[in-house]
Amino acid sequence: MATCHPTAAPGYGKRSAPSQSPSTQHDFSHLPEREAYLAAYIDRLPDGAAIDTKTLAREQPRYGQQAVRSALRKLADLGHLLRIREKAGEGLTRWVSRTYFSRTARPRSWWQRFLADRRTTTGGGSADPAPAPPARSIAYRALASLGAADKRMMLSANECAALESLATEWFARDVTPEQFRFALTNGLPASVQCPGAFARKRLLDRLPPLPEPPPPRPAPLPHHARPPRPAADVHRRAEEVRALIQEHRPPARC
């Protein structure tokens, strides 16, 4: 899975529908494999994450753009996804796209009521896009991505924030996000009751060593300290010089 999923432009990206059921391991068991995989992937992303076709195809390893596009249409048909275009901005002069995701499948009538209530609240359109959430560190994003790699390691936002400093130390040691994710999710027990505490223990117990510093470059030797040329080399050079002198010496006068 992608470790550092991109954030969409301010006001765009994923928007979670209200009144969803609590998350369980069987939320998408009624879906085909492809749709279940992508629905679980989107469900774990925070609001504001980019969930357009190109980004999803690039950030997860299983499906390309065509398969992702088909899966998103299927999720919309089954009531997990709603994509709309509406006017936004002061005076409602700009058309923008909105994408709503629901872990709980909703019938079309529910989505229609949801949109009607929302438009009533916003006066017939959409308010200006909200500011994008603050950029997170690579350590925070890597922790947040653990649940996408293995459901047993799903961390809350508070747990990610609490463990961020420990994870930062890993990335100061030249660890890649893929290596980080492998170290924290490889060989998990059958059940992880407290993912935050489990992650903290692994962060401490498996902290990699500091990288070896690069060897210093040797300083160039001063001229007087350079080793002398071999005698054979000196003799050969002298012969070359004498040959040049002989070649350019003017002829002797009678």
Side-chain angles (χ1 to χ4, degrees), residues 219-228:
L221 293 173
H223 184 74
H224 65 273
R226 292 175 183 172

Side-chain angles (χ1 to χ4, degrees), residues 14-118:
K14 174 188 172 182
R15 293 186 170 205
S16 296
S19 305
Q20 299 188 51
S21 301
S23 177
T24 71
Q25 293 186 348
H26 307 291
D27 289 328
F28 307 108
S29 58
H30 61 289
L31 296 175
E33 180 180 356
R34 180 184 65 183
E35 284 71 20
Y37 174 85
L38 289 172
Y41 184 91
I42 295 172
D43 188 38
R44 288 189 286 266
L45 296 176
D47 277 13
I51 55 173
D52 58 279
T53 299
K54 288 184 178 180
T55 302
L56 288 174
R58 183 179 66 245
E59 296 299 322
Q60 51 77 38
R62 291 194 185 181
Y63 301 107
Q65 287 190 34
Q66 184 174 351
V68 169
R69 188 178 297 110
S70 298
L72 292 179
R73 284 198 298 264
K74 185 72 171 178
L75 290 175
D77 292 341
L78 295 173
H80 290 284
L81 195 73
L82 176 68
R83 285 179 166 175
I84 61 171
R85 282 177 57 80
E86 60 186 5
K87 289 184 177 181
E90 187 175 355
L92 303 177
T93 56
R94 294 183 294 109
W95 284 96
V96 297
S97 297
R98 307 294 192 201
T99 304
Y100 295 91
F101 181 82
S102 175
R103 180 185 313 116
T104 305
R106 304 293 190 181
R108 187 178 298 274
S109 58
W110 187 94
W111 285 114
Q112 290 172 344
R113 290 195 301 271
F114 166 71
L115 290 177
D117 292 344
R118 184 175 179 279

Side-chain angles (χ1 to χ4, degrees), residues 133-189:
R136 295 292 190 178
S137 68
I138 186 174
Y140 183 99
R141 297 197 304 270
L143 288 164
S145 74
L146 294 178
D150 194 300
K151 289 183 178 181
R152 290 169 290 183
M153 290 299 291
M154 180 81 68
L155 301 178
S156 68
N158 288 338
E159 288 171 328
C160 290
L163 298 172
E164 186 173 7
S165 60
L166 290 176
T168 298
E169 182 62 28
W170 281 61
F171 290 100
R173 302 181 181 221
D174 295 339
V175 172
T176 67
E178 291 75 16
Q179 291 170 334
F180 179 88
R181 196 165 57 248
F182 180 82
L184 269 72
T185 60
N186 181 50
L188 294 176

